Amino acid sequence: MAVNSPRLTAFLIILILAALSLFLTPFVQTPGRNNGYSPKQPIAFSHRLHAGMLKINCQYCHFTAERGPHAGFPAVATCLNCHRYVKGSNPYNRAQIQKLYYYAGLDANGQPDPHLKPQPIPWIRIHILPAFVRFDHSRHITKGVTCQTCHGPIQTMDQVTQYSSLAMGFCINCHRDVDAHGLHGRKVHASLDCAVCHY
Ligand code: HEC
Ligand code: HEC
Ligand code: HEC
Ligand code: HEC
Ligand code: HEC
């Protein structure tokens, strides 16, 4: 169909843009303020089981949190320290652990499978600050701010949910508070300077 009316063309373009923006809105949502966000993960890994019931330390898996800006996700090898032997005591757990084997390049019995290539587990990232914000885990962890202060009771969650808003007020309110009252009885200086948090 040839469209030769400029007004009709303009109308069609607007229609297409409107449809596109409807389709894209969920993806271009401002990062950061996503409290309540809880995507389904490629493997139904439960923090309630691992960090809650089994009491595995958070930093056994997120060990870069006290060393640098990112807490990071554990490598498949960290999971295999246990799951080489722990194959699941019920059908549901076994099915989820089979997925772990698949990403690790192992067969159903946990043995290397020449047809499979090991690949990282494509975890869906939940907490994401906008690119113009600077955040550093280690600066907080080394001063004794607990993971739960910002992430909530992760050890009770079967599926992780973003607990805090991560809006600017969330950061600033605590910085102001610890500067005034100290933290665990020690003086700290958490900056309110724009340039400390913004590039
Ligand atoms: C056995 C390993 C393991 C332990 C122990 C563990 N985690 Fe995790 N954590 C993971 C994995 C794997 C993911 C990615 C899948 C998911 O979101 O559940 C994750 C995701 C997260 C996320 C979401 C990250 C994001 O934004 O996508 C947070 C927050 C988190 N963990 C905090 C904690 C805290 C706090 C503890 C201790 C109470 C803890 N974790 C203990 C393995 C672990
Ligand atoms: C310290 C040992 C240990 C480590 C490390 C560990 N697990 Fe587990 N995991 C277990 C045990 C024990 C169970 C319970 C198995 C059962 O009895 O069915 C389990 C159960 C599971 C299950 C099924 C139950 C559920 O929904 O969580 C999944 C999936 C799983 N683990 C994934 C992982 C992943 C992914 C990692 C690495 C990020 C990991 N595990 C690291 C010990 C561990
Ligand atoms: C002061 C608040 C705060 C504390 C304390 C904190 N986090 Fe985070 N966490 C965040 C923010 C903010 C992000 C998003 C960072 C970004 O987008 O750069 C995040 C992201 C994450 C992620 C996603 C991957 C990554 O590296 O960004 C994981 C996993 C995580 N945190 C785990 C932990 C664990 C485990 C602890 C405790 C050892 C912890 N966090 C303590 C605020 C915090
Ligand atoms: C629960 C309280 C708390 C929250 C919430 C918090 N912070 Fe902090 N922040 C601190 C403390 C304590 C320090 C360390 C101060 C020190 O080293 O004396 C710190 C230090 C920092 C530093 C290093 C400052 C410097 O001078 O180099 C940055 C950057 C930072 N925070 C950014 C953030 C951002 C961004 C957020 C929000 C996503 C946030 N913080 C949320 C308590 C908090
Ligand atoms: C402790 C860390 C921190 C400090 C200090 C800080 N900001 Fe922010 N700021 C943030 C975070 C986190 C966001 C992202 C909020 C979001 O995702 O909605 C943000 C967002 C913003 C935005 C985007 C609009 C908005 O509200 O989301 C502007 C503009 C801004 N900051 C300006 C400033 C200025 C100006 C200062 C100094 C007076 C400052 N910030 C100091 C953490 C900080």
Side-chain angles (χ1 to χ4, degrees):
M1 182 184 78
V3 179
N4 46 23
S5 148
R7 281 176 62 196
L8 185 58
T9 312
F11 177 69
L12 281 176
I13 288 173
I14 288 168
L15 208 66
I16 289 166
L17 286 178
L20 257 180
S21 73
L22 264 182
F23 173 73
L24 288 173
T25 311
F27 305 104
V28 294
Q29 197 176 6
T30 338
R33 297 185 206 172
N34 265 332
N35 29 334
Y37 180 47
S38 179
K40 189 166 185 291
Q41 297 290 348
I43 300 177
F45 169 82
S46 168
H47 278 80
R48 185 174 63 81
L49 175 73
H50 290 86
M53 290 161 73
L54 299 174
K55 299 203 174 355
I56 308 173
N57 194 295
C58 307
Q59 292 187 49
Y60 178 80
C61 289
H62 302 289
F63 61 89
T64 53
E66 62 178 346
R67 301 184 193 169
H70 304 291
F73 294 101
V76 182
T78 308
C79 314
L80 288 179
N81 287 342
C82 290
H83 285 292
R84 206 177 291 287
Y85 316 103
V86 178
K87 297 181 178 172
S89 57
N90 61 55
Y92 175 82
N93 286 4
R94 274 198 294 279
Q96 296 303 319
I97 293 164
Q98 288 295 314
K99 293 193 201 168
L100 177 65
Y101 286 172
Y102 169 80
Y103 290 112
L106 305 176
D107 66 18
N109 298 313
Q111 299 305 313
D113 183 334
H115 304 294
L116 291 178
K117 212 169 96 215
Q119 50 181 305
I121 302 168
W123 301 117
I124 298 167
R125 176 91 184 256
I126 298 166
H127 301 76
I128 307 174
L129 288 171
F132 57 86
V133 183
R134 191 200 314 267
F135 178 77
D136 189 321
H137 274 89
S138 69
R139 298 297 302 263
H140 296 87
I141 308 309
T142 52
K143 294 286 165 151
V145 182
T146 65
C147 311
Q148 284 80 356
T149 313
C150 298
H151 292 298
I154 293 275
Q155 70 286 351
T156 65
M157 298 179 191
D158 278 320
Q159 186 170 305
V160 176
T161 299
Q162 180 168 329
Y163 180 82
S164 305
S165 77
L166 307 186
M168 181 159 133
F170 165 75
C171 316
I172 296 275
N173 289 344
C174 178
H175 279 205
R176 204 175 275 135
D177 189 58
V178 293
D179 284 350
H181 304 292
L183 188 67
H184 308 307
R186 270 179 295 155
K187 253 184 95 66
V188 292
H189 178 70
S191 189
L192 299 177
D193 184 345
C194 317
V196 164
C197 295
H198 292 295
Y199 290 102

